[in-house]
Amino acid sequence: MDVIDSLGKVWTVLTKFHTHEVIGNYVSIDWPQFSNEKGLKPNDEITLIARPLQEGGNGGPQHEFKVLIKRKIRLFGQDI
């Protein structure tokens, strides 16, 4: 899957789509280069937003994904 960060850079990440009878559908993502360069840490919230591509019938990707990162920041013992 290709994702685009806030700077417009395109990243290719390996993904697997799963179905679980209790929690529903979810995606597992393997993106060590992206997470290292972006400095992702535990509890960072990652949101993938699908944007449909124009139909061209070329057999290419159906969607483009934008990635948003929200970081949990603590200042003087308080979440901000």
Side-chain angles (χ1 to χ4, degrees):
M1 172 172 58
D2 290 338
V3 298
I4 301 172
D5 66 14
S6 61
L7 301 174
K9 184 174 179 177
V10 177
W11 298 83
T12 299
V13 296
L14 301 174
T15 57
K16 292 182 182 179
F17 294 87
H18 306 276
T19 300
H20 189 277
E21 56 188 52
V22 175
I23 62 174
N25 297 326
Y26 68 96
V27 178
S28 62
I29 299 174
D30 182 18
W31 52 6
Q33 182 183 2
F34 178 87
S35 62
N36 286 337
E37 190 164 320
K38 294 296 183 182
L40 296 181
K41 295 183 176 17
N43 298 318
D44 285 349
E45 182 179 311
I46 309 300
T47 304
L48 297 173
I49 301 168
R51 299 187 318 193
L53 294 175
Q54 294 179 353
E55 293 183 31
N58 62 3
Q62 302 273 321
H63 290 85
E64 172 180 272
F65 291 87
K66 184 171 183 172
V67 62
L68 300 174
I69 301 169
K70 291 184 183 178
R71 300 183 191 278
K72 182 177 182 179
I73 300 173
R74 291 186 62 83
L75 184 62
F76 302 114
Q78 300 291 320
D79 291 343
I80 59 170

